[in-house]
C-alpha cells in the first residue's frame, strides 16, 4: 500500500501558500550519469519490451546490454538530462518509447506523503530523455505552493500508441502523442477537486489493451471498454454484507493485469480493504469483464503478475500458471489460482532470498522467470528448479575462511566487505538512502562487533557488540548515520571495522553526504 487514508486530509494544507518544504537531496548527482553494472540492490519494476529489459531501483534505471550472465551485462542510468527528481515510481516501454514517473516522500504533519517529480520520456530507446514537469501535466496546479504534492503516478500502460498513467487524486492521465501532451481522464463527470478528491480518483494501477482500460483506485476497480469514454466501477459499499458467492476486490486495488487464454481474457487484481467491511484482501480474478469475481487467495497482496505459457520447457507451466510478486514472496499457481505456493529463490545455501521475503516484481520472458527485491534480481531458466541471484555490488569472501563467496562475481572478488548505498544521506526520508548497510559474510558461526569511527580515529558508535551470527550466511549491519547520542554525523568520510571473537577483521569507508 502506498498511502494511508489520513493523508487525504492534508490536501487543503498543501494547497495553501505556507512555507515550502525542501525536497530530498539527490545522491545520484554525485555519481556518474551512465555506468556499467546494476546500479542498486534494492530493485523494483521489471519491463521487457521485446528487445530490452529495463529495471528500476533506488533512483536508477537499469537496462541489459549483453547476455544477462553477470552484473556487468547491465548499464545504469542516473541523473541524466531529462530525468526527474527522486526515485522512479513507475515505468513502461513499447518499441522506441520509454516513459517513467518520478517521486519522493516527505514527512508532512507526521505523515509520509508522496510527491511527484514529473515524467521522463525517451523516444529513442533511452538514448535521450525529455523531462515533463508536474505543472506541464497539471497546469491548473501552477498556483500551488507545492504543485508536486499528492499527485504521484504509480503505474503506466501503453496500448496502440496511447500512454495511460494511473495518478493519485487525478485517476488517469492519457497521452496520444508519445508523452508530449497529457489530458486527465475521470471515471465520471467530475469535477476534479484536488482539495476534496473522491476516493475513486486515487489511481494506483492501470492495464490497457485494445479499447479496454482497467484502473485500480482506493474505491475498487474501474473498467472502460471504449478507451476511457465511459466507465463501470466494481467496489463494495461499507454498509453492504459481503456475498461469499460473488466476492468483489477489496477497495484498495494496487495491481491489475490481464492474459488472454483461448480467446478469453483473464483479469487479475491485487488489493486490500480500504476501510471497514469493504471487500477482500488478496488476489482476485474475473474472466467476464467483472460480471463475476473470484477470490483466488487471501494470503498474498500481489504487487504485480506474470504468466506461464503453452509450450513452456516445464510441463507444469502452462497458460494456467500465474506468478504473483507479494510481500510474502514469489507466489505461483499452476491451476488458475486455485492453489498457491511460495517459490524458494536460492542459488546456494549461502546466496538465497529468505522464504517469505517481499518480492517487488516478476516477469516472464520466454522460458526465463525474473524477480526483483531489496536483495537484487533473481533469474531461473528452469521455472524455479535452480536460480541465479544478481546484486549491484561485488562478491565478498567470508571474513573467517575466505573460501566461499556470496554475491555477484566481479574483478573485485577480494573485497571482504562493502557498504551500500555509499554515499548516503541520514536526513533523507526515503529509507533506501537514509541508512547504509555494511555487508559481509561468515563461513562459521561467530560473535561479531561492528563499530563506526571518525576520520580522526575516534569511535563514533558501536552498531553491534558481540552479536551472535550464524555461519553460512551473508549479513548487513545497518548504520543510520547517527552517533551514540542520536545526533546526525556531519558530512564527511567515516570508517567502520568488523571484528569477530575468533580474531577475524575487515574494514571499509563510508561517506555521509546530507
Amino acid at each position: 500500500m502506498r498511502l494511508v487514508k489520513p493523508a487525504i486530509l492534508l490536501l487543503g494544507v498543501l494547497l495553501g501558500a505556507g512555507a515550502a518544504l525542501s525536497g530530498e537531496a539527490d545522491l545520484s548527482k554525485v555519481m556518474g550519469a551512465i555506468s556499467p553494472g546494476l546500479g542498486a540492490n534494492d530493485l523494483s519494476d521489471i519491463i521487457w519490451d521485446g528487445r530490452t529489459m529495463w529495471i528500476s531501483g533506488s533512483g536508477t534505471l537499469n537496462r541489459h546490454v549483453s547476455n544477462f550472465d553477470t552484473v556487468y551485462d547491465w548499464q545504469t542510468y542516473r541523473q541524466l538530462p531529462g530525468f526527474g527528481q527522486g526515485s522512479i515510481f513507475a515505468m513502461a516501454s513499447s518499441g522506441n518509447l520509454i516513459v517513467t514517473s518520478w517521486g519522493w516522500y516527505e514527512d508532512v504533519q507526521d505523515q509520509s506523503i508522496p510527491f511527484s517529480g514529473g515524467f521522463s520520456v525517451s523516444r529513442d530507446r533511452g538514448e535521450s530523455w525529455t523531462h515533463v514537469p508536474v505543472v506541464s501535466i497539471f497546469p491548473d496546479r501552477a498556483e500551488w505552493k507545492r504543485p508536486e504534492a499528492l499527485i504521484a503516478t504509480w503505474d503506466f500502460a501503453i496500448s496502440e500508441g496511447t500512454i495511460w498513467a494511473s495518478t493519485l487524486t487525478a485517476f488517469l492521465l492519457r497521452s496520444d502523442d508519445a508523452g508530449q501532451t497529457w489530458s486527465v481522464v475521470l471515471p465520471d463527470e467530475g469535477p476534479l477537486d484536488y482539495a476534496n478528491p473522491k476516493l475513486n480518483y486515487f489511481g494506483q494501477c492501470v492495464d490497457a489493451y485494445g479499447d479496454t482500460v482497467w484502473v485500480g483506485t482506493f474505491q475498487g476497480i474501474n473498467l472502460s471498454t471504449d478507451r476511457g469514454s465511459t466507465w463501470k466501477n466494481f467496489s463494495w459499499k461499507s454498509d453492504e454484507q459481503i456475498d461469499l458467492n460473488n466476492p468483489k476486490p477489496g477497495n484498495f486495488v494496487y495491481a491489475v493485469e490481464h492474459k488472454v487464454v483461448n480467446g478469453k481474457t483473464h483479469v487479475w487484481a491485487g488489493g486490500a480493504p480500504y476501510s471497514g467491511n469493504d471487500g477482500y484482501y488478496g488476489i482476485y480474478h474475473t474472466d467476464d469483464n467483472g460480471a463475476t469475481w473470484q477470490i483466488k487467495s487471501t494470503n498474498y497482496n500481489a504487487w504485480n503478475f506474470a504468466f506461464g505459457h503453452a509450450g513452456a520447457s516445464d510441463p507444469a507451466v502452462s497458460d494456467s500458471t500465474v506468478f504473483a510478486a507479494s510481500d510474502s514472496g514469489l507466489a505461483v499457481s499452476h491451476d488458475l489460482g486455485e492453489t498457491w505456493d511460495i517459490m524458494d529463490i536460492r542459488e546456494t545455501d549461502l546466496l538465497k532470498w529468505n522464504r517469505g521475503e517481499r518480492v517487488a516484481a516478476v516477469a516472464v520472458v520466454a522460458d526465463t522467470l525474473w524477480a526483483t527485491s531489496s536483495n537484487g534480481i533473481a533469474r531461473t531458466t528452469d521455472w524455479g528448479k535452480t536460480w541465479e541471484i544478481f546484486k549491484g555490488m561485488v562478491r565478498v569472501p567470508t571474513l573467517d575462511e575466505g573460501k566461499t563467496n556470496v554475491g555477484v562475481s566481479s574483478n573485485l572478488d577480494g573485497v571482504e566487505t562493502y557498504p551500500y548505498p555509499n554515499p548516503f544521506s541520514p536526513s533523507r526520508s526515503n529509507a533506501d538512502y537514509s541508512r547504509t548497510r555494511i555487508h559481509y559474510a561468515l563461513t562459521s558461526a561467530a560473535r561479531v562487533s561492528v563499530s563506526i569511527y571518525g576520520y580522526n580515529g575516534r569511535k563514533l558508535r558501536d552498531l553491534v557488540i558481540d552479536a551472535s551470527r550464524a555461519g553460512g550466511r551473508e549479513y548487513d549491519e545497518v548504520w543510520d548515520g547517527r552517533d551514540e547520542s542520536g545526533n546526525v554525523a556531519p558530512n564527511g568520510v567515516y570508517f567502520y571495522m568488523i571484528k569477530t571473537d575468533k580474531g577475524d577483521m575487515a574494514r571499509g569507508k563510508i561517506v555521509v553526504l546530507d
Side-chain angles (χ1 to χ4, degrees):
M1 302 180 191
R2 300 182 178 92
L3 187 64
V4 294
K5 183 176 180 179
I8 299 172
L9 303 177
L10 293 173
L11 284 169
V13 174
L14 294 165
L15 274 166
L21 303 173
S22 60
E24 292 182 311
D26 193 344
L27 293 182
S28 62
K29 290 181 179 179
V30 302
M31 303 176 183
I34 302 178
S35 58
L38 283 172
N41 280 335
D42 193 356
L43 302 173
S44 49
D45 285 346
I46 311 173
I47 299 295
W48 171 256
D49 62 13
R51 290 184 291 172
T52 302
M53 179 171 286
W54 300 87
I55 297 178
S56 63
S58 298
T60 67
L61 181 62
N62 307 270
R63 62 170 292 184
H64 93 277
V65 292
S66 188
N67 299 318
F68 297 110
D69 292 329
T70 74
V71 69
Y72 290 106
D73 289 334
W74 296 83
Q75 190 174 60
T76 296
Y77 295 72
R78 295 184 182 90
Q79 198 61 26
L80 289 174
F83 268 21
Q85 179 184 2
S87 297
I88 296 175
F89 279 5
M91 63 179 182
S93 176
S94 177
N96 291 328
L97 178 64
I98 308 167
V99 58
T100 63
S101 75
W102 296 81
W104 67 92
Y105 282 85
E106 292 183 11
D107 293 330
V108 181
Q109 295 186 355
D110 298 323
Q111 297 177 51
S112 186
I113 302 300
F115 285 70
S116 173
F119 296 165
S120 293
V121 179
S122 174
R123 302 176 183 90
D124 52 14
R125 302 186 64 80
E127 296 301 317
S128 61
W129 295 83
T130 300
H131 182 232
V132 185
V134 170
V135 292
S136 294
I137 306 167
F138 299 99
D140 53 341
R141 295 170 69 101
E143 299 303 319
W144 282 46
K145 190 66 177 180
R146 302 302 306 283
E148 317 97 333
L150 287 163
I151 203 70
T153 288
W154 296 120
D155 197 14
F156 289 109
I158 303 177
S159 175
E160 298 183 352
T162 297
I163 307 174
W164 304 91
S166 59
T167 299
L168 203 65
T169 70
F171 187 67
L172 190 64
L173 300 173
R174 171 177 175 164
S175 174
D176 294 314
D177 54 10
Q180 297 182 73
T181 60
W182 297 85
S183 58
V184 175
V185 178
L186 297 179
D188 52 36
E189 295 182 356
L192 177 56
D193 181 355
Y194 295 113
N196 299 286
K198 299 177 182 179
L199 291 181
N200 201 34
Y201 287 5
F202 281 74
Q204 299 203 101
C205 57
V206 59
D207 187 27
Y209 47 94
D211 293 334
T212 299
V213 186
W214 294 86
V215 179
T217 71
F218 280 24
Q219 197 173 49
I221 191 166
N222 300 266
L223 168 65
S224 173
T225 56
D226 52 15
R227 296 179 61 80
S229 296
T230 60
W231 294 87
K232 183 176 182 180
N233 174 263
F234 304 96
S235 65
W236 285 99
K237 304 297 186 293
S238 59
D239 57 350
E240 285 184 359
Q241 183 176 0
I242 295 177
D243 181 0
L244 295 177
N245 296 317
N246 185 25
K248 293 183 174 65
N251 284 348
F252 201 98
V253 178
Y254 40 72
V256 58
E257 295 185 42
H258 78 284
K259 177 179 174 62
V260 178
V261 180
N262 296 326
K264 179 178 286 190
T265 301
H266 296 256
V267 175
W268 297 83
Y274 178 67
S275 64
N277 194 24
D278 63 354
Y280 283 81
Y281 176 102
I283 297 173
Y284 333 103
H285 167 266
T286 180
D287 59 10
D288 54 14
N289 270 359
T292 58
W293 291 89
Q294 293 177 303
I295 299 177
K296 292 298 186 178
S297 172
T298 55
N299 295 320
Y300 312 114
N301 60 328
W303 296 111
N304 79 320
F305 301 93
F307 307 101
H309 55 83
S313 57
D314 185 342
V317 178
S318 69
D319 283 329
S320 297
T321 300
V322 182
F323 301 96
S326 80
D327 281 352
S328 302
L330 181 57
V332 59
S333 172
H334 294 295
D335 51 13
L336 280 178
E338 296 303 314
T339 59
W340 295 85
D341 194 11
I342 293 294
M343 303 185 75
D344 285 318
I345 300 177
R346 175 192 303 264
E347 181 172 324
T348 68
D349 287 342
L350 295 173
L351 183 55
K352 61 185 177 180
W353 292 358
N354 294 327
R355 187 176 177 87
E357 179 179 330
R358 181 180 185 269
V359 171
V362 59
V364 169
V365 181
D367 275 341
T368 301
L369 175 66
W370 298 84
T372 59
S373 77
S374 60
N375 286 310
I377 183 168
R379 175 184 71 176
T380 174
T381 56
D382 54 18
W383 300 103
K385 295 181 179 66
T386 60
W387 290 86
E388 295 170 283
I389 296 174
F390 301 89
K391 289 194 172 188
M393 307 294 170
V394 299
R395 186 187 295 263
V396 295
T398 54
L399 295 182
D400 43 359
E401 297 183 16
K403 64 181 182 181
T404 305
N405 289 349
V406 295
V408 176
S409 180
S410 78
N411 59 354
L412 298 174
D413 279 352
V415 176
E416 292 181 319
T417 177
Y418 60 83
Y420 70 96
N422 187 30
F424 77 110
S425 174
S427 297
R428 191 163 179 165
S429 61
N430 186 333
D432 292 336
Y433 289 109
S434 65
R435 57 184 183 172
T436 191
R437 299 168 179 85
I438 296 171
H439 189 80
Y440 64 95
L442 295 171
T443 299
S444 304
R447 304 193 70 83
V448 175
S449 298
V450 181
S451 302
I452 306 295
Y453 296 85
Y455 198 79
N456 57 7
R458 176 183 294 181
K459 183 185 291 186
L460 191 72
R461 183 175 172 183
D462 290 314
L463 299 185
V464 293
I465 301 175
D466 289 332
S468 179
R469 297 290 184 259
R473 294 281 305 278
E474 52 183 315
Y475 292 96
D476 288 333
E477 309 294 353
V478 178
W479 182 38
D480 61 3
R482 298 175 184 272
D483 61 18
E484 293 287 2
S485 300
N487 300 313
V488 174
N491 287 354
V493 177
Y494 296 84
F495 300 92
Y496 65 90
M497 183 174 293
I498 308 172
K499 295 181 179 179
T500 75
D501 61 336
K502 300 175 181 178
D504 306 300
M505 183 175 64
R507 59 172 61 89
K509 183 189 300 183
I510 299 172
V511 176
V512 171
L513 186 63
D514 244 339

